[in-house]
Amino acid sequence: MTSVLIVEDDGDIRAMLARGLSAEGFSVNLAGGVDEALAAARERVPEAVLLDIMLPDGSGHDVCRSLREGGYPGTILFLSAKDEVSDRVDGLALGADDYIVKPFSFDELLARLRTHLQRRRAAGEPRTLVTAGRLSLDFATRQVRFGDTTARLTQREAELLSILMEQANRPVNRGDIFDRLWASQGGLSLNVVDVYVGYLRTKLGDIARLGGPTIVTVRGKGFLLDLREPGFRH
């Protein structure tokens, strides 16, 4: 039975989600705040977390960050009344798989939750290491390494970097990246790709300064992970 942790301080929404998911065969655990959520996740690691942002003792962002930094591999879906694109981008940047704006349809939430769970299961054993030149990415720890220099990425940053590493020295179209990583998430535009490329460039800054790979914008074509030595770049 698939286990889901619902983190929501609104009792009516919490009860509605618990009833609906239980009726669909999920095993449900409930939390109303940050501390309660983290304690519940430690006691029984769920396969998915439905996470409100505005909580009485902090932010759902804190829960998401703590879970991902602690190596939590499951699905995280934000549920929030905050509906600006920047709110969605911030939530996804912390490692969430999806962001659903309140008020929402339970059927849509259920469909998205099942899609993310099925995607993870279909992937089977995840790749543990991706390499391109002297750059390596460990998916288990989301750590990227170049020589002795390392950087820690979020799950979505790691997925984006892996796409660029797979096509190293060749441009990858923005639309192709968006389709692979964000097509199932409503309300986002191609701009989210540029935002995450910006995050990656910042995270890889020390590696680039040491002569490691850089992410290059190729006008009209997308982004390219340049593995060439600095003296040969143009």
Side-chain angles (χ1 to χ4, degrees):
M1 183 178 290
T2 302
S3 59
V4 178
L5 172 62
I6 300 171
V7 186
E8 170 63 66
D9 67 330
D10 186 309
D12 291 338
I13 295 176
R14 192 167 61 236
M16 179 273 291
L17 290 172
R19 285 194 304 270
L21 291 174
S22 296
E24 293 292 333
F26 290 85
S27 172
V28 175
N29 198 6
L30 304 175
V34 173
D35 292 340
E36 191 177 357
L38 294 176
R42 284 192 296 268
E43 181 177 345
R44 179 189 179 193
V45 179
E47 291 185 57
V49 179
L50 304 184
L51 181 58
D52 189 17
I53 290 181
M54 293 179 284
L55 297 170
D57 57 345
S59 169
H61 288 166
D62 300 325
V63 177
C64 183
R65 184 183 297 107
S66 294
L67 290 174
R68 290 306 192 204
E69 288 179 352
Y72 175 68
T75 295
I76 298 178
L77 275 64
F78 273 122
L79 311 177
S80 177
K82 303 177 73 174
D83 60 356
E84 296 293 329
V85 171
S86 60
D87 296 321
R88 302 180 190 218
V89 170
D90 289 345
L92 297 172
L94 290 171
D97 296 276
D98 210 339
Y99 190 108
I100 300 175
V101 176
K102 298 177 181 177
F104 53 82
S105 158
F106 177 78
D107 289 340
E108 179 185 1
L109 181 148
L110 181 62
R112 291 200 192 189
L113 174 60
R114 282 176 167 162
T115 295
H116 287 295
L117 290 169
Q118 289 167 0
R119 185 175 297 158
R120 287 182 181 274
R121 291 165 183 164
E125 288 297 319
R127 294 174 297 172
T128 57
L129 189 68
V130 178
T131 61
R134 292 192 288 155
L135 189 73
S136 64
L137 171 63
D138 186 335
F139 266 97
T141 61
R142 302 189 308 282
Q143 185 177 76
V144 60
R145 176 180 295 275
F146 181 81
D148 293 328
T149 304
T150 63
R152 180 66 62 84
L153 308 179
T154 66
Q155 182 67 30
R156 193 50 55 90
E157 288 167 353
E159 291 169 351
L160 172 57
L161 180 58
S162 73
I163 292 173
L164 297 176
M165 291 174 71
E166 290 167 2
Q167 302 294 323
N169 291 330
R170 295 191 297 274
V172 184
N173 184 271
R174 279 181 177 84
D176 292 339
I177 295 173
F178 183 87
D179 287 345
R180 288 183 62 175
L181 299 183
W182 288 284
S184 65
Q185 298 168 20
L188 294 177
S189 68
L190 284 176
N191 181 61
V192 71
V193 179
D194 298 78
V195 171
Y196 270 82
V197 167
Y199 292 154
L200 264 184
R201 282 177 171 148
T202 299
K203 294 281 185 75
L204 300 179
D206 289 341
I207 289 174
R209 282 188 285 273
L210 291 172
T214 60
I215 301 174
V216 177
T217 301
V218 182
R219 187 180 297 274
K221 294 185 177 180
F223 299 101
L224 173 153
L225 184 68
D226 191 346
L227 300 182
R228 293 169 291 175
E229 294 299 318
F232 292 95
R233 290 178 179 148
H234 55 80

